[in-house]
Amino acid sequence: MTAATGFRGYQRIGENITKGVPDMHEAIDCYREVKEGMYGELGKPMEGRNQWPSNPPNYTELMEEYISLCTDLSRKIMRGIALALGGSPDEFEGDRAGDAFWVMRIIGYPGAPTSNGHGPRNDIGCGAHTDYGLLTLVNQDDEITALQVRNLSGEWISAPPIPGTFVCNIGDMLKIYSNGLYDSTLHQVINNAPKYRVCVAYFYETNFDTAVEPLEICKQRTGGAKKFGRAVYGEHLVSKVLTNFN
């Protein structure tokens, strides 16, 4: 994975950086395809096609089907969130997320080694961060608890995997749209198990070039004032991508 590939492809252990610290995971990163000139200068760093492994031979087909299913599911969840905020079910369609961008990361976290009888080492698989977009569907390895979420009391609590379910993270753009009614989920990954852990994270975003501002219905529910300024999703993503990798 390099800038020349639009930051798509395989990422070695330690190449992903969170707040200046290398993360102890490897990953295959993929994004919705961005054709040349599609979003002008804004989208130039993200231009490219995904680089799928050739083995197993049906990998590309499986992942594209999975992405399609996650996109449909996320759109339905966002319709429910729109209703919960007091809007119409189509609040996040059209210019907001009617042509939603998406990101997917297939992530592998090495098991914690044991040495000299001292037990597992506390390597940070992924440092504390929030996600950039609207909603993340996290498909965790069923047998390993490694994902941690910070609650409103500031405590880190585990989000143990429940077979047949996703963990849903709220992202930065939904925090802005909701004027803070929904907070983006601060989370981290620490794999203290001796076993290799796999996680597939699907990120459902706004339209790439959408300017995100608090919704009027959410301003009314939070005192009438905007708590957050305007953010363009594509600018937010590119700024993160350019500083996230070695």
Side-chain angles (χ1 to χ4, degrees), residues 24-183:
M24 292 299 102
H25 70 251
E26 59 186 343
I28 298 169
D29 285 11
C30 42
Y31 299 83
R32 183 174 170 180
E33 184 178 340
V34 178
K35 295 178 180 173
E36 189 175 347
M38 194 169 174
Y39 300 113
E41 286 302 309
L42 174 64
K44 202 160 191 59
M46 306 307 301
E47 289 177 358
R49 301 183 66 182
N50 290 317
Q51 301 186 89
W52 300 108
S54 56
N55 187 36
N58 63 340
Y59 188 88
T60 303
E61 181 185 339
L62 284 172
M63 295 319 298
E64 288 180 345
E65 182 184 3
Y66 183 79
I67 288 163
S68 176
L69 291 168
C70 284
T71 301
D72 289 345
L73 175 59
S74 299
R75 177 168 276 125
K76 288 170 182 171
I77 293 171
M78 289 306 302
R79 289 172 69 83
I81 288 174
L83 289 168
L85 289 170
S88 78
D90 298 325
E91 207 70 51
F92 296 106
E93 296 295 329
D95 291 341
R96 290 178 180 136
D99 188 30
F101 196 70
W102 57 260
V103 181
M104 190 173 71
R105 304 193 72 217
I106 303 138
I107 312 167
Y109 298 90
T114 57
S115 58
N116 302 322
H118 291 305
R121 186 175 72 239
N122 282 341
D123 277 337
I124 303 292
C126 191
H129 65 285
T130 57
D131 296 335
Y132 315 149
L134 290 173
L135 185 72
T136 309
L137 302 181
V138 183
N139 189 345
Q140 301 190 80
D141 213 322
D142 282 347
E143 299 172 4
I144 301 171
T145 298
L147 177 62
Q148 299 178 350
V149 180
R150 197 171 74 177
N151 66 16
L152 291 175
S153 301
E155 303 165 320
W156 287 103
I157 59 172
S158 292
I162 301 170
T165 71
F166 291 107
V167 171
C168 297
N169 288 337
I170 291 164
D172 297 336
M173 296 299 107
L174 183 51
K175 179 179 181 176
I176 295 173
Y177 271 136
S178 70
N179 209 31
L181 287 169
Y182 285 107
D183 201 359

Side-chain angles (χ1 to χ4, degrees), residues 169-245:
N169 288 337
I170 291 164
D172 297 336
M173 296 299 107
L174 183 51
K175 179 179 181 176
I176 295 173
Y177 271 136
S178 70
N179 209 31
L181 287 169
Y182 285 107
D183 201 359
S184 42
T185 312
L186 188 66
H187 56 287
Q188 63 185 12
V189 177
I190 301 176
N191 184 18
N192 284 329
K195 186 180 174 186
Y196 188 90
R197 173 183 182 264
V198 176
C199 166
V200 182
Y202 169 86
F203 305 85
Y204 184 77
E205 320 289 64
T206 66
N207 297 355
F208 188 83
D209 53 358
T210 291
V212 178
E213 296 183 87
L215 299 173
E216 193 60 41
I217 50 171
C218 296
K219 285 193 293 182
Q220 291 168 10
R221 290 183 59 182
T222 52
K226 278 204 306 187
K227 294 184 179 180
F228 305 98
R230 174 180 176 275
V232 176
Y233 166 75
E235 289 176 1
H236 190 59
L237 175 67
V238 169
S239 71
K240 298 284 188 182
V241 165
L242 294 179
T243 57
N244 258 27
F245 308 113

